[in-house]
Amino acid sequence: MKSKDELHPLLGNFDRAALQEAQDFLHEVEERRKQWEKELAAEAPHEISAAAQRLIERTQKAFEGVTCYREVRVLLGGEAEDEYMSPAAQALLAPLEERDDWRDIPDSMLLACECSLSYAGAHAYRFLIPAFLCGELRGLPFNGFFPGGSKIDDSLWDFRRGRALELNDEQRACLSDYLSYEVLQCEWPARRRFMPWEIDEYRLCYADRMSLKEYGDMLVNRYRVKES
């Protein structure tokens, strides 16, 4: 991630209020990142299960080489949008975004900007979701990493579907399997959340002969068979 010092050459193109707003935001993010870095260093190493490690490796392979140059807003921009920053200040953050390799985003930065996924467009989502997914599987203490939705009549399905447009089959499979892994790992009685392509499959192929819970059970069993 680039530093806030790189904002200074842009001063001539933006008013000082926008520059100050961007600098204040970057200072706040850096303070949060440092605090998370201390907390992570103080924690005992998180034990990663064999199933989690396999899913991490699959995710790394499925999202290898993914970049993000077709959207202005990525990690910093998403967090800035959550904090209602002005468009001018947000524009100053765009050159500071990591865009080449999602694996280069530090864990502490993911935690400092964990609201960003909620504001990611399709290309930014494809770039950020593997970082958050692998972080979750490694035990990062996110407050709300909840891909998908739980209700078939949820009004957000069109939004979720649009955000997932750039994902290929292997990338989608990683997210689907994470939701099934989560059920087995937490010993929940049923799959609580679904990805948009799963909801589409359910509506098209299964809604007339099984409940959403039964469909979720089927997905978990698919994953269980794959893992076994």
Side-chain angles (χ1 to χ4, degrees):
M1 306 291 284
K2 300 181 178 65
S3 76
K4 65 181 181 179
D5 295 334
E6 297 183 54
L7 287 175
H8 292 291
L10 301 175
L11 179 60
N13 299 324
F14 291 85
D15 62 45
R16 290 186 176 272
L19 182 66
Q20 187 62 55
E21 186 182 5
Q23 288 179 321
D24 290 345
F25 168 78
L26 289 170
H27 176 75
E28 179 185 346
V29 167
E30 180 62 11
E31 289 300 305
R32 295 202 302 253
R33 189 195 67 76
K34 288 179 179 178
Q35 183 59 36
W36 275 117
E37 203 168 57
K38 291 178 182 178
E39 293 185 24
L40 292 174
E43 289 183 357
H46 182 78
E47 185 175 347
I48 302 176
S49 68
Q53 186 59 44
R54 285 192 293 271
L55 189 48
I56 288 171
E57 292 170 0
R58 281 178 51 204
T59 300
Q60 291 173 336
K61 182 178 180 181
F63 288 88
E64 186 176 7
V66 169
T67 60
C68 187
Y69 283 93
R70 296 178 63 180
E71 290 187 28
V72 172
R73 182 186 297 148
V74 194
L75 186 73
L76 291 171
E79 190 70 17
E81 180 67 14
D82 186 67
E83 298 188 15
Y84 303 100
M85 284 181 61
S86 68
Q90 288 192 38
L92 280 162
L93 302 176
L96 309 183
E97 298 275 21
E98 173 60 51
R99 298 176 181 277
D100 291 314
D101 193 335
W102 55 269
R103 294 170 297 184
D104 287 341
I105 303 174
D107 289 345
S108 56
M109 185 63 76
L110 291 174
L111 289 161
C113 299
E114 68 170 317
C115 293
S116 61
L117 267 183
S118 299
Y119 303 92
H123 286 91
Y125 186 79
R126 183 183 61 177
F127 184 74
L128 293 175
I129 193 63
F132 279 95
L133 177 57
C134 290
E136 177 75 11
L137 289 165
R138 287 187 284 104
L140 292 187
F142 295 121
N143 285 323
F145 179 70
F146 302 123
S150 59
K151 297 179 180 178
I152 194 168
D153 57 351
D154 193 328
S155 61
L156 292 175
W157 283 119
D158 285 344
F159 166 74
R160 297 188 185 106
R161 191 176 291 106
R163 201 167 59 164
L165 281 175
E166 296 299 320
L167 300 180
N168 63 31
D169 289 343
E170 290 183 0
Q171 293 162 354
R172 291 184 175 193
C174 291
L175 284 164
S176 290
D177 286 350
Y178 165 73
L179 295 182
S180 294
Y181 160 85
E182 186 180 44
V183 174
L184 298 176
Q185 182 75 13
C186 300
E187 297 183 349
W188 288 344
R191 178 89 108 81
R192 298 179 179 179
R193 288 181 282 128
F194 302 87
M195 299 307 296
W197 53 88
E198 294 174 334
I199 289 295
D200 292 342
E201 180 187 57
Y202 172 71
R203 285 172 170 162
L204 182 64
C205 304
Y206 299 102
D208 61 341
R209 52 195 172 97
M210 65 172 63
S211 67
L212 188 60
K213 178 185 179 303
E214 290 171 327
Y215 174 70
D217 291 342
M218 184 180 75
L219 295 180
V220 173
N221 284 332
R222 282 181 186 172
Y223 172 72
R224 183 184 284 114
V225 169
K226 183 192 298 185
E227 279 296 294
S228 64

